[in-house]
Amino acid sequence: MQITRNGAETAPGPSDWFTGRVFVDAIAAPAQGSTVAAASVHFTPGARTAWHTHPLGQTIWVTEGLGLCQREGGPVEVIRPGDRVFFEPGENHWHGAAPTRFMTHVAIQQAGEDGSPVEWGRHVTDEEYAQAGSPPVER
């Protein structure tokens, strides 16, 4: 058994991976035979990931706020607290906060054979992000 005590600092999301201000709290990292990685990711209004894929897929679980996500070639979808989104292995996608709302989600994925859980692509353009318009605040 290993206990990791609370106290680790929240890390800013790297600008290579995100547009806008994003903060990451690690939950789990691949170690000692485990391939699972998980993080709580906090997006400020308008912040979002770059396009990316996961070799074994990814689940995100929205814990607060209002968010957006999109798979390549699909519509921009609104996501709310309690919503789970599964992105298929290799599916190019992005996710982030709505333009005027914060959003936090837990991201869970497994590392592939090369040891990486993600392959980052280009940033989502403002035009791509704007496709969602202004999502409604309530369901």
Side-chain angles (χ1 to χ4, degrees):
M1 179 171 74
Q2 177 183 354
I3 298 174
T4 303
R5 300 288 180 202
N6 190 10
E9 292 186 18
T10 298
S15 61
D16 288 351
W17 302 351
F18 300 100
T19 296
R21 292 179 51 110
V22 177
F23 300 91
V24 180
D25 289 306
I27 296 172
Q32 300 174 346
S34 173
T35 61
V36 175
S40 180
V41 186
H42 314 270
F43 296 84
T44 60
R48 57 202 180 262
T49 68
W51 287 98
H52 62 286
T53 63
H54 300 275
L56 299 174
Q58 179 189 46
T59 296
I60 60 172
W61 178 53
V62 181
T63 59
E64 63 181 320
L66 187 69
L68 304 171
C69 64
Q70 181 181 27
R71 66 180 177 171
E72 190 170 37
V76 176
E77 301 283 352
V78 176
I79 50 178
R80 296 175 173 83
D83 289 350
R84 281 188 324 266
V85 181
F86 177 69
F87 298 102
E88 296 285 340
E91 183 174 59
N92 200 27
H93 68 281
W94 65 268
H95 34 96
T100 60
R101 298 286 302 273
F102 288 86
M103 190 271 289
T104 299
H105 68 52
V106 173
I108 307 162
Q109 56 274 325
Q110 294 184 62
E113 290 181 12
D114 67 355
S116 176
V118 62
E119 176 79 25
W120 291 101
R122 66 176 177 80
H123 283 270
V124 174
T125 66
D126 290 341
E127 292 77 22
E128 288 170 320
Y129 180 77
Q131 288 178 19
S134 293
V137 173
E138 300 299 322
R139 274 190 198 257

